[in-house]
Amino acid sequence: MPAAARRPRDLPATSDSLVIAGLTPLSSCDWPGKLVATVFAQGCPWSCTYCHNPDLIPTRAEGAVPFKRVRDLLAKRHGLLDGVVFSGGEPTRQRALGAAMREVRDAGFGVGLHTGGAYPARLREVIGLVDWVGLDIKAPRADYGKITGVGPSGSKAFESLDIVLAAGVDVQVRTTVDPTVLTEDDVARIRAELAERGVTDLVLQTVRAEGTRPEYAAALAEARRSSGRT
Ligand code: SF4
């Protein structure tokens, strides 16, 4: 096919085609025990109740940070940073993720990944480049849509968990406990579904109102008022 007739999806994905919404040059909390730079990939197919970065959801938005800024940062931070965490948004949405991870590895840094597991096929492609995964399991499998707004999302998330476990990559499985949706029984069901896969460590995270949509912040405040928590 002549180059002029090629569609963007046909073009090879390079690090420079990763659409990046933000870059944190130094973080000590995005990969436990590591000092990292964190890259926030633009775009997510889900719309979680408690998303505290809804600006990162649109998939057609322009990037705000060229990958060159990541490259230049790493060139100056040898010996100071352990790695780069790809976060989002949903980083596995983008075809360029593998190229970007490979470049980070080739530069001598570790690679971390924050994912909700929305794209198991892409995760399978890149998992060999990843040293650590922070994987969100958001709800019992059958109830996923109540959090993500997307019906079949639970099957994708659990398929992604299976990919990470099969690869033997270091993983932290975490659940943000949204009291507007999840009950204690739901959290127990999540634990049981994870235990079936041999995962016994689950990190529970308290939902934060900061950055969430106003209607969610109001619903959260109400849920906390009715349960006696502030
Ligand atoms: S998966 Fe993450 S980025 Fe996507 S909507 Fe949910 S909380 Fe927001």
Side-chain angles (χ1 to χ4, degrees):
M1 186 185 291
R6 294 172 96 191
R7 301 181 306 274
R9 283 185 63 79
D10 302 320
L11 296 172
T14 66
S15 311
D16 290 300
S17 54
L18 191 72
V19 183
I20 301 172
L23 170 66
T24 299
L26 181 64
S27 165
S28 59
C29 58
D30 284 332
W31 180 348
K34 306 279 187 193
L35 281 180
V36 298
T38 304
V39 170
F40 295 90
Q42 179 68 42
C44 180
W46 295 345
S47 184
C48 299
T49 50
Y50 51 72
C51 186
H52 61 267
N53 250 334
D55 291 349
L56 267 60
I57 292 176
T59 52
R60 289 172 188 261
E62 300 276 315
V65 179
F67 191 81
K68 183 177 181 311
R69 286 233 328 251
V70 181
R71 188 178 289 134
D72 291 348
L73 177 74
L74 296 184
K76 291 186 289 194
R77 296 285 167 91
H78 270 285
L80 300 172
L81 283 180
D82 299 308
V84 173
V85 170
F86 291 87
S87 186
E90 175 48 65
T92 61
R93 188 188 69 83
Q94 296 196 43
R95 290 174 61 231
L97 180 65
M101 287 178 162
R102 195 165 293 108
E103 182 167 339
V104 167
R105 287 190 80 85
D106 289 350
F109 295 88
V111 172
L113 173 67
H114 290 175
T115 181
Y119 294 93
R122 174 80 27 74
L123 181 63
R124 197 174 272 112
E125 269 172 41
V126 303
I127 194 69
L129 299 165
V130 177
D131 300 295
W132 174 83
V133 181
L135 177 68
D136 294 333
I137 291 295
K138 295 173 180 286
R141 183 183 176 125
D143 292 341
Y144 241 72
K146 292 179 188 170
I147 296 281
T148 65
V150 176
S153 43
S155 56
K156 306 264 191 215
F158 278 82
E159 184 180 346
S160 290
L161 172 61
D162 290 340
I163 289 166
V164 172
L165 294 176
V169 175
D170 194 14
V171 60
Q172 180 189 72
V173 180
R174 58 269 184 105
T175 298
T176 299
V177 182
D178 178 356
T180 74
V181 176
L182 298 180
T183 63
E184 286 183 12
D185 281 355
D186 291 329
V187 175
R189 284 167 61 208
I190 294 171
R191 286 192 190 283
E193 290 176 355
L194 293 174
E196 280 172 18
R197 290 166 163 80
V199 177
T200 50
D201 272 349
L202 173 65
V203 175
L204 297 182
Q205 297 177 328
T206 303
V207 75
R208 290 182 287 125
E210 297 76 34
T212 61
R213 301 170 182 97
E215 60 275 21
Y216 178 74
L220 180 62
E222 180 53 35
R224 286 184 169 153
R225 246 192 313 275
S226 7
S227 69
R229 293 187 55 211
T230 53

